[in-house]
Amino acid sequence: MALASSRSPRSVTILGSTGSVGTSTIDLIRRNPGAYVVEALTANSDWQQLARQAIELDARTVAIGDPAAYAPLKEALAGRNIGVAAGPEALVEAAAAKSDWVMAAIVGAAGLAPTLAAIRRGAIVALANKEVLVCAGDLVMQEVARSGATLLPVDSEHNAIFQVFDFERTEAIEKIILTASGGPFRTLDRAEMAKKTPAQAVAHPNWKMGAKISVDSATMMNKGLELIEAKHLFRMPQEKIEIVVHPQSVIHSLVAYIDGSVLAQLGSPDMRTPIAYTLAWPDRMASPSPRLDLAQIATLTFEAPDPERFPALRLVREALEAGGSAPTVLNAANEVAVHAFLNEEVGFLDIAEIVERTMAAIPVGPIDTLDDVHNFDKQARDTAAKLAASYARSAV
């Protein structure tokens, strides 16, 4: 079902258009000619792909985060009526410019300021950046309430919950259940995990994702961050959010009701399904995602996560218990530790250890403003970087 004939074109902005979620979003837009008008595209440093996307989609403006990429991007778009800007402020300005719908897909804490800019102008925001809620969940949700913005979760798990969550009768909800694939190291013991390389960690068995989120999946930190995200999106206390390992990644998450009913959303592991749900919302659109053949799948299995082999889950619950800046510190330390692992500077098991030691080193404080977020984020990054360097020296 194409959308071109069913309504006026929806104007869209894609923050992080050259990443995995961004390119999948563009794939769906490409399949629905006339249904969408692209206002702005942004990228971090891949100016070549950004230029190709802007020309193909006839974008009004583009913004590149890396100022060094401004000149070649400007030259690539010379003679075309496409505005070009660069730098972190340009990303925020692109998000703040008028459009109906915004895909917030900038990876990591760098996506916080642009996403907030879109929320503050009351846009429909498809949220693919979980760190925004992990770092500043209370602050972001306050801005959503104040501006009247609409948050649509893109993560497959939260999108699944969103599709079966009765927002009008939340008192009837007993708990929500996040499913986890368990990642590529689901069956390994810690001694085996300790030997794993970045290439092995990013080889997810079900999902094609970026390197950072793939490593987070391997440590199960990704599921922990999703727990924090779910707490804010659905206003649920952490004790009512359960995690269950489901290796087939067919059931994307569930909602359990007080009468014993458990509602689930199923689909193939293809991000174009949840992206399509948010892009067309409140309608639905056709997606090229592979269709489920339940008879062929035959068996769906479930198991409890092991907090001993995957300590990231314990760290996340401790951060939620501590509140305030603790989730911000956890997230920043994790980003630094994962970066160090991908650069082969620390081992796989060192990631969670660096996060835990960083959390222990920084006293918890309040998060009332964006500056508070930035201050704790910087403290955590500095501390985690020093720890990572010490691990690297000990490994030599």
Side-chain angles (χ1 to χ4, degrees), residues 5 34 50 77 91 149 162 169 213 236 241 271:
S5 61
L50 182 61
L77 297 175
L91 304 185
F162 188 82
R169 299 176 183 81
I213 192 173
M236 296 289 283
I241 305 174
M271 282 303 294

Side-chain angles (χ1 to χ4, degrees), residues 126-343:
L127 185 65
N129 175 323
K130 59 178 64 67
E131 288 86 354
V132 166
L133 290 178
V134 172
C135 294
D138 291 333
L139 187 64
V140 169
M141 296 311 290
Q142 288 169 14
E143 289 295 329
V144 170
R146 185 195 60 76
S147 68
T150 300
L151 273 190
L152 300 175
V154 173
D155 265 350
S156 61
E157 295 83 357
H158 305 84
N159 188 271
I161 294 168
F162 188 82
Q163 294 193 41
V164 296
F165 192 94
D166 190 344
F167 287 91
E168 300 298 321
R169 299 176 183 81
T170 56
E171 72 281 359
I173 294 172
E174 194 167 80
K175 63 181 177 181
I176 57 181
I177 304 168
L178 288 170
T179 56
S181 70
F185 306 152
R186 178 177 62 88
T187 61
L188 304 186
D189 61 32
R190 286 181 61 79
E192 292 171 306
M193 288 184 193
K195 302 173 186 173
K196 293 301 178 183
T197 67
Q200 292 168 316
V202 301
H204 195 281
N206 301 335
W207 296 93
K208 183 180 178 182
M209 305 182 291
K212 193 268 180 180
I213 192 173
S214 295
V215 175
D216 283 346
S217 179
T219 62
M220 290 198 74
M221 179 61 84
N222 183 55
K223 202 54 51 182
L225 299 180
E226 288 177 358
L227 191 157
I228 300 174
E229 186 181 8
K231 170 184 179 292
H232 291 292
L233 282 171
F234 303 105
R235 300 292 188 186
M236 296 289 283
Q238 67 152 315
E239 58 270 21
K240 289 192 173 186
I241 305 174
E242 181 180 326
I243 294 173
V244 64
V245 176
H246 168 48
Q248 295 82 17
S249 298
V250 168
I251 297 176
H252 296 309
S253 277
L254 314 94
V255 176
Y257 286 84
I258 57 175
D259 63 359
S261 299
V262 180
L263 305 187
Q265 184 264 348
L266 287 69
S268 61
D270 186 328
M271 282 303 294
R272 288 176 297 184
T273 298
I275 293 171
Y277 184 81
T278 65
L279 187 57
W281 184 87
D283 300 322
R284 287 187 186 263
M285 64 191 293
S287 152
S289 304
R291 269 36 179 176
L292 279 184
D293 183 337
L294 291 174
Q296 184 179 40
I297 294 170
T299 303
L300 299 178
T301 62
F302 306 90
E303 57 197 65
D306 183 348
E308 298 300 322
R309 290 188 297 123
F310 298 99
L313 297 175
R314 170 179 56 81
L315 296 177
V316 165
R317 293 207 183 264
E318 289 176 359
L320 283 174
E321 285 288 336
S325 61
T328 308
V329 169
L330 173 140
N331 178 71
N334 181 60
E335 286 192 21
V336 171
V338 170
H339 181 74
F341 170 68
L342 288 171
N343 287 338

Side-chain angles (χ1 to χ4, degrees), residues 308-385:
E308 298 300 322
R309 290 188 297 123
F310 298 99
L313 297 175
R314 170 179 56 81
L315 296 177
V316 165
R317 293 207 183 264
E318 289 176 359
L320 283 174
E321 285 288 336
S325 61
T328 308
V329 169
L330 173 140
N331 178 71
N334 181 60
E335 286 192 21
V336 171
V338 170
H339 181 74
F341 170 68
L342 288 171
N343 287 338
E344 301 187 7
E345 296 166 359
V346 304
F348 180 75
L349 295 183
D350 296 335
I351 297 172
E353 199 167 303
I354 290 169
V355 174
E356 183 163 21
R357 292 180 65 185
T358 303
M359 290 172 64
I362 300 176
V364 175
I367 295 287
D368 296 322
T369 67
L370 206 52
D371 285 342
D372 293 335
V373 176
H374 291 319
N375 290 336
F376 279 104
D377 182 269
K378 185 175 187 311
Q379 284 185 58
R381 288 177 192 278
D382 291 346
T383 301

Side-chain angles (χ1 to χ4, degrees), residues 88-101:
E89 300 80 8
L91 304 185
V92 175
E93 289 173 8
K98 186 178 180 181
S99 66
D100 299 324
W101 184 95

Side-chain angles (χ1 to χ4, degrees), residues 4 12 29 44-45 51 60-61 134 192 210 242 256 307 311 326:
V12 305
I29 290 174
N44 179 34
S45 58
R60 294 182 191 274
T61 62
V134 172
E192 292 171 306
E242 181 180 326

